[in-house]
């Protein structure tokens, strides 16, 4: 049975205060059901507020970072009274991104394999991103009848500018690790086998720095570049609640579950 909630999240903290938080649903490519999103919010918040934590690393177990919302669970739970409403889904996605952005310590995303949907938002919300050479960012929102969420509508333009962000989001692009590095989204691209070690090395370097200075620097950068975050999340909430109950999304879910790794040629 696929793990869910806190059972789907592993946490390890070393003696320098580097907390590595790993999404552990490899049989679903680390796709996030509602209870796992809630668990991630709780765990990221707990770790970031612990005075012994100095840096957080986000990673995925197996061959994916996270492919975003668990579309299989959405399809299986369609019509069930236990399925979260669109409003609850959007609120939890916003809380996940806020937990990363407001963490008083640097957050590093170690992106191995695909990051899609709210998984892309999670990576973009991180302060630094490392990617394996076989990883990619899949902005598949419009491909399945949705709009960007998890703050992606402001996080991406803030990082790469309006023109590049519009291309990626409107076309539903899959962005290779190399392109992500070239446009400034990824700090470094590494062989898959070296990714976790490289993220750990970067995290330990930051962990040796002055915690308060890093906190205030992160707060200043976030405040200067994401002043429109609240408005963006409100627009995403309104629009996505409409789209999540549309026929286009129902058809998109059925379609995307059959797709394979995108072609970058």
């Amino acid at each position: 049975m696929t793990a869910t909630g806190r059972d789907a999240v592993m946490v390890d903290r070393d003696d320098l205060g580097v907390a590595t938080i790993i999404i552990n649903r490899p049989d679903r490519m680390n796709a996030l059901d509602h209870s796992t999103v809630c668990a991630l919010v709780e765990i990221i918040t707990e770790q970031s507020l612990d005075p012994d934590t100095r840096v957080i690393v986000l990673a995925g177990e197996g061959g994916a970072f996270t492919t975003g919302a668990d579309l299989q669970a959405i399809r299986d739970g369609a019509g069930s009274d236990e399925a979260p409403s669109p409003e609850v889904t959007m609120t939890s996605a916003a809380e996940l991104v806020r937990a990363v952005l407001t963490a008083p310590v640097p957050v590093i995303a170690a992106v191995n394999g695909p990051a899609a949907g709210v998984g892309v938002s999670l990576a973009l919300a991180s302060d630094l991103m490392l990617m394996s050479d076989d990883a990619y960012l899949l902005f598949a929102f419009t491909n399945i009848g949705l709009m960007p969420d998890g703050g992606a509508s402001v996080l991406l333009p803030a990082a790469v500018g309006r023109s590049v962000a519009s291309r990626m989001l409107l076309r539903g692009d899959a962005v290779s690790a190399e392109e992500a590095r070239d446009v400034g989204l990824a700090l470094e691209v590494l062989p898959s086998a070296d990714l976790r070690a490289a993220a750990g090395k970067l995290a330990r370097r930051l962990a040796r720095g002055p915690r308060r200075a890093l906190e205030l620097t992160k707060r200043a950068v976030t405040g200067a570049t994401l002043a429109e975050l609240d408005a963006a999340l409100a627009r995403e909430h309104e629009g996505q609640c409409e789209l999540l109950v549309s026929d286009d999304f129902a058809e998109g879910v059925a379609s995307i579950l059959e797709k394979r790794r995108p072609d970058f040629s």
Side-chain angles (χ1 to χ4, degrees), residues 81-161:
D81 292 339
E82 298 180 359
S85 67
E87 289 78 9
V88 169
T89 297
M90 290 303 300
T91 297
S92 62
E95 289 175 347
L96 177 58
V97 170
R98 285 189 189 280
V100 174
L101 290 172
T102 62
V105 297
V107 179
I108 300 169
V111 180
N112 56 306
V118 74
V120 173
S121 301
L122 184 62
L124 292 174
S126 301
D127 302 294
L128 298 167
M129 188 192 311
L130 302 180
M131 297 180 70
S132 63
D133 53 13
D134 59 349
Y136 57 95
L137 308 177
L138 181 57
F139 296 94
F141 302 99
T142 57
N143 297 345
I144 55 172
L146 296 179
M147 66 177 289
D149 60 22
S153 64
V154 67
L155 290 166
L156 187 60
V160 300

Side-chain angles (χ1 to χ4, degrees), residues 152-169:
S153 64
V154 67
L155 290 166
L156 187 60
V160 300
R162 178 176 179 270
S163 180
V164 175
S166 293
R167 168 174 63 83
M168 292 177 177
L169 294 173

Side-chain angles (χ1 to χ4, degrees), residues 187-209:
L187 175 64
E188 193 174 358
V189 176
L190 304 117
S192 182
D194 299 336
L195 178 66
R196 195 73 64 84
K201 181 179 179 180
L202 175 59
R204 288 189 295 274
R205 174 183 171 183
L206 293 173
R208 294 186 182 97

Side-chain angles (χ1 to χ4, degrees), residues 18 92 121 211 243 245 253:
V18 176
S92 62
S121 301
R211 190 181 194 273
L243 296 172
V245 295
V253 169

